[in-house]
Amino acid sequence: MFVDGFRFAGMTIQSAQLRNAGIAASALRSDAWICVFLALLALVPPFFDGSLVDWSSDNDSMMRLVQVRDLLAGQAWFDHTQYRMGVDDGFAMHWSRIVDLPVAMIMAAAGAVTGSPAMGELAAGIIWPSILLMISIFALVRIVRLLGGEQATLPAMVIGAMTLYSIGIFAPGALDHHNLQLTVCLLALWALLAGQKISHGIGAGAAAAVTMAVGMETVPVVAVACGAIAVSFLVAGPRYAKATLGFGLGFASTSALTFVATVAPSNWSVVHCDALSPAQLSIAVLGGLGLAVTAFVPAVGANPLRRTVALGALAVSLALLVGLAYPQCIASPYAGLDERLKTLWLSMISEAQPITSIWAKDPINFAKFYATPLAAAAVLITILTKAANKREWLIIAGFLGVAITVSFWQVRGGNFAVAFAVIPLAVWVGEKRAAAFESSGARASLIMVLAWIIALNSSWTVAAKTLHNASVTRSAGAQAVSDDEGESAACYGGQAFLDLAAMNPQTVLAVSNLGPIILKQTPHRVLAGPYHRNIAGNIATLDAFMSAPDDALLVLRDNNVGLIVHCAGENEANWLAKIAPEGLLAAIISGEAPKWLRKTSSPTNASVNIYKISPNM
């Protein structure tokens, strides 16, 4: 009987384990299907707006499309040169082919099936960001379920989907690399929190390496991920030895693979601070393998003092490597940029603005990118004071904190801060929901509603937009604002440059913001584009537009410019004309273009003015 009872108890335990595993698998499947539905639901609003894919909403997405077109047209995989932008033969873009590959595959497959390259591009513009949106929502839901349980799952789905949709980087047509970076960062965070297995570590390390290879903007987040696993091993030792071993191996090997796969062998000794190069590879390999070796040796892992010494030695080695071999990469990424470009170009790029500029000039985006992260930081403080799983919440705090810090420097970091903020806010809303369901009083329900409002990014954006529009209407008149926005929008519409596209291919002078859309819609090449490596082309454009007409003509001849394009109401053009009132661009805007320019009609878009340069001048 004792044996039978023992067997029965064992069977009961085993049955409970199987039942729990079945419940977990069922929850995983249901979460996945709901996230697919939410990603598809996000396509409904743009569909009813009249244009499912709005390529003109983002310069980087249009430029990515141009890059992928060039790749499919036969440009070499390792050749990152954009030949149709800049002076002479163009310049090498700092973007990674990691993003180009899936976009190109979708474009090629859909184009082959439909027989239309345009349909292939449309399919890529819909499918790629939708896949990333689904994965990102799924990662957020799984993280929140892990930390907040079943009660926080619904808030994670609603808040996560609405938040990611609101920041715009997953909208149809968004081919820019920021959506892939955010998606992979969320996967890395999920793997870090999921457990102590070697597979969890490998997943987190590989994801960290991929997001760094896609773009250096996420290096601060990657540093937090590396620090999180190192500190976990330092504090808990053998408990996190397998995860640390996996992270180190995943980070080092994936960094090496992406380097070999995306960097031309001729550039394996060329250091770049803004893209994956020997500098980043050597740091990743030393750091990753150093972590792996430290975690692999039992004598080190079992002893706190030895762990401290080993990890300290690794940190010193990495600091010496960076300081002695790559000191130039410690400085600001724009430290070497020409001063005129810093003042006249970089200061106009919206995603590169600091928090002080956003606060003063753009209250709507201030609310959009800073309200929920700051609210989440406050919620995190309260959670940390009472949470039993402090390690997990400290990792969340690290990811959120570094994203908020980056967003203070450049608002582009706000995309990551807003996404990471979903995690503590969803758990918080889940707690208030549970309290409201358990209580019969109105107070708990009121607190729950208030929590929902605070956690939803769109609540802050709508409130800021309402207040801002009311203020502008009182001070300037609603019609004036509407007209100005209409003129600027005419410069970036889907058919803005049809007349320019019909002309013979030649070099076009236009402000940098118009560079990507001209490349996308026409066969011409342009001098300027909003990219920091295009130094010569952007300087030549400033020299031409801001110099007196006769001096500008010399610049145009030196760069074989055949056409000048100006679009009425374009903000960058108005800014440059205001700074240089005696310059060529100011003369064009005022209707006093020099005699050596001949204006051609643009019947399809009255806002676009095209000028031919007389060959006799």
Side-chain angles (χ1 to χ4, degrees):
M1 180 178 291
F2 174 77
V3 173
D4 290 342
F6 180 79
R7 287 175 179 172
F8 179 77
M11 291 173 62
T12 302
I13 293 172
Q14 186 179 29
S15 299
Q17 290 174 339
L18 291 173
R19 185 166 60 252
N20 290 336
I23 293 172
S26 175
L28 186 73
R29 288 192 298 270
S30 64
D31 287 350
W33 280 114
I34 291 172
C35 291
V36 169
F37 170 75
L38 291 172
L40 293 175
L41 189 64
L43 297 174
V44 174
F47 177 81
F48 284 102
D49 281 347
S51 176
L52 184 57
V53 176
D54 181 15
W55 296 111
S56 64
S57 62
D58 177 36
N59 271 333
D60 286 351
S61 293
M62 288 188 286
M63 197 68 198
R64 178 71 66 181
L65 180 62
V66 171
Q67 293 278 98
V68 174
R69 283 177 180 174
D70 293 342
L71 180 64
L72 292 176
Q75 186 165 327
W77 172 262
F78 289 119
D79 184 1
H80 294 228
T81 305
Q82 180 43 248
Y83 293 98
R84 294 172 57 211
M85 181 177 284
V87 301
D88 301 325
D89 295 324
F91 68 101
M93 292 286 288
H94 64 289
W95 289 352
S96 172
R97 288 293 195 197
I98 292 174
V99 186
D100 293 343
L101 180 60
V103 175
M105 291 174 64
I106 298 171
M107 283 174 56
V113 170
T114 62
S116 167
M119 289 300 295
E121 293 179 359
L122 181 66
I126 296 171
I127 295 172
W128 179 239
S130 296
I131 289 173
L132 296 179
L133 177 61
M134 184 272 290
I135 297 173
S136 293
I137 299 172
F138 181 71
L140 282 173
V141 169
R142 297 307 296 179
I143 292 170
V144 171
R145 183 187 282 276
L146 187 69
L147 297 174
E150 184 66 34
Q151 65 186 21
T153 303
L154 176 63
M157 292 175 178
V158 176
I159 299 170
M162 292 185 68
T163 295
L164 295 180
Y165 177 80
S166 72
I167 59 180
I169 64 173
F170 294 97
L175 303 182
D176 185 17
H177 56 279
H178 294 142
N179 49 20
L180 176 60
Q181 286 180 304
L182 177 55
T183 301
V184 179
C185 281
L186 289 171
L187 291 175
L189 178 56
W190 179 24
L192 281 172
L193 301 175
Q196 304 153 20
K197 296 180 180 178
I198 191 170
S199 58
H200 295 138
I202 290 173
V210 168
T211 192
M212 183 179 70
V214 171
M216 293 300 111
E217 305 99 312
T218 53
V219 165
V221 178
V222 172
V224 171
C226 295
I229 197 69
V231 172
S232 296
F233 177 63
L234 176 65
V235 173
R239 184 180 171 194
Y240 283 97
K242 290 183 178 179
T244 305
L245 171 63
F247 186 97
L249 293 176
F251 189 56
S253 61
T254 305
S255 295
L257 286 173
T258 54
F259 179 83
V260 171
T262 61
V263 179
S266 59
N267 288 329
W268 283 3
S269 61
V270 180
V271 173
H272 293 292
C273 298
D274 61 351
L276 186 62
S277 75
Q280 294 80 6
L281 177 64
S282 58
I283 295 168
V285 170
L286 174 60
L289 293 183
L291 271 177
V293 170
T294 302
F296 181 73
V297 179
V300 175
N303 186 287
L305 179 60
R306 290 173 183 169
R307 291 198 302 271
T308 303
V309 172
L311 291 174
L314 178 59
V316 171
S317 300
L318 288 170
L320 288 173
L321 175 63
V322 175
L324 297 177
Y326 314 112
Q328 68 272 32
C329 293
I330 301 175
S332 165
Y334 302 116
L337 199 63
D338 183 274
E339 286 302 321
R340 284 181 299 169
L341 292 181
K342 289 181 183 179
T343 304
L344 302 174
W345 170 69
L346 186 62
S347 64
M348 288 292 293
I349 296 179
S350 58
E351 67 175 23
Q353 301 304 303
I355 186 174
T356 51
S357 177
I358 300 298
W359 169 263
K361 301 176 183 178
D362 195 348
I364 296 174
N365 272 331
F366 182 87
K368 178 179 179 181
F369 290 112
Y370 296 102
T372 53
L374 294 176
V379 169
L380 254 175
I381 292 173
T382 62
I383 290 176
L384 281 169
T385 59
K386 59 182 180 180
N389 52 343
K390 281 189 169 52
R391 171 192 175 268
E392 286 73 17
W393 282 113
L394 285 171
I395 292 175
I396 299 293
F399 273 69
L400 178 61
V402 76
I404 291 176
T405 302
V406 172
S407 73
F408 282 5
W409 173 52
Q410 289 191 341
V411 70
R412 76 176 79 192
N415 289 322
F416 290 77
V418 167
F420 297 149
V422 169
I423 299 165
L425 290 175
V427 171
W428 179 55
V429 171
E431 291 175 353
K432 301 309 175 187
R433 286 181 71 236
F437 292 152
E438 292 173 3
S439 172
S440 58
R443 183 175 180 272
S445 297
L446 208 58
I447 291 174
M448 178 191 69
V449 171
L450 183 61
W452 273 106
I453 294 173
I454 291 173
L456 288 170
N457 182 266
S458 54
S459 302
W460 299 91
T461 307
V462 169
K465 187 176 293 186
T466 302
L467 292 172
H468 175 69
N469 289 344
S471 174
V472 170
T473 300
R474 287 193 301 269
S475 61
Q479 188 60 46
V481 174
S482 176
D483 290 345
D484 180 67
E485 290 177 351
E487 286 181 346
S488 182
C491 304
Y492 300 96
Q495 306 296 325
F497 297 98
L498 278 178
D499 301 300
L500 181 65
M503 297 181 177
N504 292 329
Q506 51 200 299
T507 300
V508 174
L509 178 70
V511 293
S512 65
N513 270 341
L514 294 180
I517 193 169
I518 290 175
L519 293 192
K520 175 187 172 291
Q521 294 189 2
T522 80
H524 302 289
R525 70 183 316 278
V526 295
L527 276 185
Y531 305 103
H532 67 269
R533 284 197 181 183
N534 184 30
I535 295 174
N538 288 336
I539 288 178
T541 299
L542 292 177
D543 286 342
F545 273 145
M546 302 181 73
S547 298
D550 290 344
D551 295 330
L553 182 57
L554 298 177
V555 179
L556 300 179
R557 284 175 174 170
D558 288 343
N559 291 282
N560 299 313
V561 175
L563 298 170
I564 297 177
V565 172
H566 165 63
C567 186
E570 208 288 322
N571 294 329
E572 184 183 359
N574 292 339
W575 164 250
L576 293 178
K578 182 179 179 181
I579 294 175
E582 305 299 325
L584 173 63
L585 184 56
I588 291 173
I589 291 176
S590 65
E592 299 176 357
K595 290 185 290 186
W596 45 267
L597 284 181
R598 187 172 76 255
K599 185 177 180 179
T600 63
S601 61
S602 181
T604 60
N605 190 343
S607 295
V608 174
N609 301 300
I610 305 171
Y611 297 87
K612 291 183 178 180
I613 300 173
S614 173
N616 300 322
M617 297 299 293

